[in-house]
Amino acid sequence: MKSSKEQLDQRGFITDDDLFDLRSISDSELIEKMKSTEPKCRSAAVRMLANRNADCSEKFIDALSVESALYVKIELQKALINMGIKSIPGLINKLGRIGSNQHKKINNTDIGKKTYPIARDIAARILCGIGPDALPYLKEIIKNGNMEQKLEAIDAVGYITFHFGIYSCEQILIDLLQTEKPDSILRWKVIRAMWGFKSNRIRKILENIIADENNFLIQNEAKRSLNIILERNDETSGV
């Protein structure tokens, strides 16, 4: 069913026409409007600040942490992606802490997907949108971050590796896999993140997991990762 104008307004939907009255006000006034009780006003303030390339990454991240209106959240996410590397440190600090849709247990609910799934954690999802510039920061979190951060950083690494073909995180994921208990959600996420890699080392690791793993869900994930690697290699070689 098509949403009514009132419903769209309450979700913060705007067009460029909604920016007209904001053209002459200052950045500081726009930041204040981000606190408005009207979602449309918040959306418009964010888009205007983003159009001006205002250095508001921390303000946007703080707003995203508490925002409930759909289109305001979309505006904030777009703005942070477009800000690129300036957004990364603040987003890294928020990994696992925005929203409540993160994986809480191992599952194969998206087993039929052939494209690496977008992260469920909002901070990780934005880092995926920023792309390879985020990888050095994600590697550092995987090494030294807390478990909450690591779980979401792995998803972002898997996505970026799959879509951009940059393999700089291979060794750190292998190291992590070898130190985790067999049935942990972190180990499952590492196996899934291996979709994007194609080295013989990765393939051998997955083959060993398939042969030796007792947890059906983890074994299934290893099978899927290996199958996707083989299919992508066949496509690349023209087979």
Side-chain angles (χ1 to χ4, degrees):
M1 182 182 294
K2 189 175 180 179
S3 298
S4 68
K5 183 180 183 305
E6 183 179 357
Q7 288 172 322
L8 289 172
D9 287 349
Q10 286 303 308
R11 294 171 191 159
F13 180 79
I14 59 168
T15 67
D16 284 339
D17 291 341
D18 293 303
L19 306 183
F20 185 82
D21 292 336
L22 303 181
R23 292 180 303 169
S24 60
I25 69 175
S26 68
D27 289 358
S28 60
E29 290 174 298
L30 288 171
I31 290 169
E32 282 302 307
K33 286 187 175 294
M34 285 174 55
K35 303 172 187 176
S36 169
T37 58
E38 297 181 11
K40 280 192 69 168
C41 185
R42 299 198 297 273
S43 284
V46 172
R47 188 182 295 183
M48 179 62 80
L49 285 164
N51 288 348
R52 292 180 182 180
N53 295 315
D55 188 8
C56 295
S57 63
E58 291 297 331
K59 298 287 186 185
F60 289 164
I61 292 168
D62 288 343
L64 190 57
S65 298
V66 297
E67 184 58 63
S68 59
L70 173 63
Y71 290 104
V72 186
K73 290 194 285 188
I74 290 172
E75 292 292 337
L76 288 163
Q77 290 178 59
K78 286 180 180 177
L80 288 164
I81 288 171
N82 289 335
M83 293 179 78
I85 199 165
K86 292 179 182 178
S87 302
I88 294 174
L91 290 166
I92 289 289
N93 289 334
K94 289 291 187 179
L95 282 169
R97 297 171 58 193
I98 301 178
S100 59
N101 196 40
Q102 297 86 357
H103 286 105
K104 301 298 190 294
K105 60 182 180 179
I106 300 169
N107 68 68
N108 293 147
T109 54
D110 59 358
I111 199 71
K113 284 185 177 289
K114 296 295 185 181
T115 300
Y116 198 90
I118 190 71
R120 290 167 62 165
D121 177 72
I122 293 174
R125 186 179 302 174
I126 299 168
L127 291 165
C128 291
I130 292 170
D133 284 340
L135 287 176
Y137 299 84
L138 292 166
K139 285 176 70 175
E140 183 61 28
I141 283 297
I142 290 172
K143 285 173 61 178
N144 298 312
N146 60 43
M147 183 59 68
E148 181 180 61
Q149 292 173 312
K150 287 182 180 183
L151 289 174
E152 308 315 325
I154 293 165
D155 284 347
V157 164
Y159 182 94
I160 293 168
T161 301
F162 183 91
H163 288 280
F164 292 90
I166 297 172
Y167 310 113
S168 59
C169 293
E170 179 173 314
Q171 187 60 54
I172 198 168
L173 290 183
I174 292 173
D175 292 344
L176 195 59
L177 188 67
Q178 293 171 345
T179 62
E180 283 303 306
K181 60 184 181 181
D183 61 348
S184 72
I185 187 171
L186 189 147
R187 187 166 182 265
W188 168 71
K189 285 195 173 213
V190 171
I191 291 167
R192 187 171 70 159
M194 288 180 170
W195 283 31
F197 298 87
K198 55 183 180 180
S199 70
N200 288 331
R201 279 200 309 168
I202 292 290
R203 281 183 277 178
K204 186 63 176 175
I205 288 168
L206 292 170
E207 287 168 358
N208 289 339
I209 292 169
I210 293 165
D212 301 334
E213 180 60 54
N214 293 320
N215 185 306
F216 176 74
L217 295 175
I218 289 181
Q219 186 185 61
N220 257 4
E221 199 63 61
K223 288 178 181 178
R224 175 167 66 162
S225 292
L226 182 60
N227 287 338
I228 286 172
I229 290 169
L230 295 174
E231 288 171 7
R232 294 181 83 202
N233 286 349
D234 284 347
E235 290 170 3
T236 303
S237 64
V239 175

